[in-house]
Amino acid sequence: MSTLWQNIQYKMLRSGNKLNLLIGINVIVFLAVNMTAVLEKLFTNVGHRSLIEYFATEYLQLPAAFSKFPTHFWTPISYMFMHDGILHILFNMLWLYWMGQIFEEYLGNKRTIGLYLMGGLAGALFYLLALNFLPFFTSVNAAATTTIVGASASVMAIVVATATLLPNYTISLIFIGPVKLKWLVIFILIIDFLGTVGPNAGGEIAHLGGALLGFIYIKQLQKGHDWIEGIRGIFKSKSKLKVVYNNTGKNTADYPRQDEIDRILDKISQSGYDSLNKQERDTLARASKNEK
């Protein structure tokens, strides 16, 4: 058991893999809530709903009512690490792992957590605005009783960001075959939009908020504006960098210039990864290696 725990600690905290960290946090929170609830039901006569389930619903899910925020101000963060059932967390974590691997292959792993959090917050904002201001919801005062939970908005930000960066990247789906990311994501977004008036309307709206954030983030990144790096720069002091030149006067730094990276990413977005020549692929590989 100790070896298993050591392996989990290494994969989450010391391997440098941000996807493992995010998936690990989600799984630990899910198990902590649900296993505790099962034990409570087994050893006490709590009836249908346990105390831990009440606490998780009341204090960790995201409520739509603005009046609850003074006492639930942490829920725009906590909700994106909670899940309602095994299938819910299973599909979210599979999407996060599959799309996150592609995302990190081209952009490194320093942006993964930032995009996850930003996508979740964007989903929360869309959900709150829709439930409190759209006539379809205000006519029945849906905000008073509605909450949402799940990493879906965060995952959608990473999925859409990956498809925006690599629209012609092809993946193979069971029973369907090879599909380009752009068509897969368009299909998912249409399903989410149609669901905004269904039983999970709040969740579907949050998906769209995360998706929009992922799209805008990549478009800004391709213009040279990295929101995540900008936010990180606020919280850390700028280090003094020393650039070393050789006798020929050329920069020997291994990291490629940002404008060159932006040009390559723009080319991938327009023509796909296969359009890159060997030098461009080597440049992208060096940039990704230095990001990790």
Side-chain angles (χ1 to χ4, degrees), residues 36-50 53:
T36 306
V38 169
L39 290 173
E40 185 181 353
K41 288 181 178 180
L42 287 174
F43 291 98
T44 62
N45 186 21
V46 297
H48 179 67
R49 193 183 192 195
S50 69
E53 288 173 327

Side-chain angles (χ1 to χ4, degrees), residues 216-230:
I216 295 176
Y217 173 72
I218 291 299
K219 288 301 182 182
Q220 289 298 306
L221 183 65
Q222 290 171 337
K223 295 178 180 179
H225 308 301
D226 191 341
W227 291 349
I228 295 173
E229 283 298 317

Side-chain angles (χ1 to χ4, degrees), residues 19-32:
L19 291 174
N20 284 346
L21 177 60
L22 289 171
I23 292 172
I25 293 173
N26 277 278
V27 171
I28 288 172
V29 171
F30 178 80
L31 293 177

Side-chain angles (χ1 to χ4, degrees), residues 113-135:
I113 294 178
L115 185 56
Y116 181 98
L117 294 174
M118 288 169 57
L121 291 173
L125 179 62
F126 263 54
Y127 160 74
L128 292 171
L129 293 177
L131 268 289
N132 285 281
F133 295 107
L134 291 183

Side-chain angles (χ1 to χ4, degrees), residues 229-242:
E229 283 298 317
I231 294 172
R232 285 171 52 186
I234 297 174
F235 296 99
K236 66 179 181 180
S237 59
K238 295 182 179 180
S239 59
K240 296 181 179 179
L241 300 177
K242 182 179 180 182

Side-chain angles (χ1 to χ4, degrees), residues 48-114:
H48 179 67
R49 193 183 192 195
S50 69
L51 182 62
I52 189 67
E53 288 173 327
Y54 168 79
F55 175 83
T57 301
E58 182 67 22
Y59 292 103
L60 298 179
Q61 296 187 11
L62 176 65
F66 285 132
S67 60
K68 290 188 177 182
F69 272 86
T71 56
H72 296 72
F73 58 86
W74 57 86
T75 52
I77 296 293
S78 63
Y79 96 97
M80 66 180 81
F81 294 97
M82 296 281 297
H83 289 87
D84 184 22
I86 293 177
L87 291 180
H88 192 199
I89 188 173
L90 175 62
F91 285 111
N92 271 343
M93 295 303 101
L94 286 175
W95 273 109
L96 176 61
Y97 181 75
W98 290 333
M99 294 295 106
Q101 290 232 355
I102 301 172
F103 179 82
E104 290 188 346
E105 179 183 352
Y106 292 91
L107 291 180
N109 65 9
K110 287 188 177 181
R111 300 177 176 90
T112 309
I113 294 178

Side-chain angles (χ1 to χ4, degrees), residues 158-201:
I158 293 176
V159 170
V160 172
T162 305
T164 304
L165 178 67
L166 305 162
N168 294 313
Y169 190 100
T170 302
I171 61 175
S172 294
L173 299 179
I174 299 175
F175 306 124
I176 297 177
V179 178
K180 291 183 178 180
L181 275 184
K182 60 184 178 182
W183 301 124
L184 176 63
V185 168
I186 289 173
F187 175 77
I188 294 172
L189 291 176
I190 291 174
I191 297 298
D192 284 336
F193 179 76
L194 294 176
T196 56
V197 292
N200 186 34

